[in-house]
């Protein structure tokens, strides 16, 4: 009897772990950066190697920080939405080109439009790793004090933008105005 009970119990326990695991959303992975200062960094920019993007850019305004790559299919999917944000709002969008080739990154921005105020170039992915980036695209909201307040993993969508990101930016800006 015991020789049947042990395999059955093992099967039930493993099945329980599988059931719970399948209910989890991999996009719900919490960022270790939430409510902490943006990592300190300085990188050259995609479109002008003589200019840089650094963590000081985030101070004084609420902004969006988006990691992307030319080889990333999901990044291409969200690109029109980033263009809409850049063209239809006053929200500054900064980019970080992650583990890419410079010519390929430049080709994307020149060919499909550039939604970024500035996009940094991170060919080795070191800056992205400091931010906790696991894959592109990932989008962060940084408040006026340079504190990371939100992270979205995966391509942006209209429901995420209108239901999460824009309300948070509005709230952070209202908070900024109260503190001023």
């Amino acid at each position: 009897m015991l020789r049947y009970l042990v395999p059955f119990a093992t099967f039930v326990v493993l099945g329980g772990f599988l059931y719970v695991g399948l209910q989890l959303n991999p996009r719900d992975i919490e960022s270790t950066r939430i409510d902490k200062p943006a990592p300190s960094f300085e990188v050259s920019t995609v479109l002008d190697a003589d200019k840089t993007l650094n963590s000081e850019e985030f101070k004084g305004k609420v902004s969006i920080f988006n990691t992307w790559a030319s080889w990333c299919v999901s990044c291409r999917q969200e690109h029109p939405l980033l263009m809409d944000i850049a063209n239809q709002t006053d929200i500054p969008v900064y980019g970080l080109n992650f583990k890419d080739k410079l010519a390929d990154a430049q080709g994307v921005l020149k060919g499909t439009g550039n939604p970024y105020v500035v996009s940094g170039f991170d060919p080795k992915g070191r800056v992205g790793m400091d931010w906790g980036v696991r894959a592109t695209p990932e989008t962060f909201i940084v408040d006026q004090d340079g504190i990371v307040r939100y992270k979205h993993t995966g391509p942006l969508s209209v429901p995420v933008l209108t239901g999460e990101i824009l309300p948070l930016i509005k709230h952070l800006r209202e908070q900024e105005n109260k503190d001023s």
Side-chain angles (χ1 to χ4, degrees):
M1 174 86 164
L2 189 59
R3 73 179 190 187
Y4 296 114
L5 189 57
V6 171
F8 179 73
T10 302
F11 173 76
V12 169
V13 169
L14 290 174
F17 283 126
L18 179 63
Y19 176 77
V20 170
L22 290 174
Q23 304 304 310
L24 299 176
N25 182 350
R27 294 186 193 279
D28 290 341
I29 297 171
E30 282 297 315
S31 173
T32 59
R33 283 280 160 212
I34 301 299
D35 296 329
K36 294 182 182 170
S40 181
F41 72 94
E42 184 171 33
V43 293
S44 62
T45 66
V46 171
L47 295 177
D48 186 347
D50 293 332
K51 294 184 180 176
T52 61
L53 170 65
N54 63 57
S55 47
E56 293 300 310
E57 284 284 339
F58 302 117
K59 298 210 174 150
K61 59 193 169 286
V62 178
S63 54
I64 295 173
F65 184 60
N66 175 261
T67 60
W68 65 282
S70 65
W71 45 262
C72 169
V73 175
S74 296
C75 298
R76 290 179 194 188
Q77 176 185 346
E78 78 174 2
H79 191 83
L81 192 54
L82 290 170
M83 290 296 295
D84 288 345
I85 295 167
N87 293 327
Q88 298 174 15
T89 74
D90 64 346
I91 302 166
V93 180
Y94 294 91
L96 182 70
N97 180 257
F98 183 72
K99 294 186 177 182
D100 208 345
K101 294 178 182 164
L102 185 57
D104 294 343
Q106 291 170 337
V108 167
L109 295 182
K110 290 176 182 173
T112 61
N114 183 0
Y116 307 108
V117 173
V118 177
S119 185
F121 181 58
D122 186 21
K124 303 275 187 214
R126 290 187 180 113
V127 172
M129 285 185 247
D130 289 345
W131 278 81
V133 172
R134 291 177 180 88
T136 55
E138 291 188 12
T139 303
F140 301 84
I141 304 302
V142 183
D143 75 9
Q144 62 278 2
D145 296 319
I147 307 296
V148 177
R149 296 299 180 185
Y150 174 88
K151 176 183 177 183
H152 176 76
T153 302
L156 294 177
S157 64
V158 171
V160 168
L161 184 65
T162 58
E164 297 175 30
I165 292 176
L166 293 178
L168 176 60
I169 289 173
K170 180 180 178 191
H171 171 75
L172 291 171
R173 285 179 166 179
E174 287 170 355
Q175 199 172 18
E176 175 184 17
N177 291 334
K178 285 181 186 175
D179 295 342
S180 299

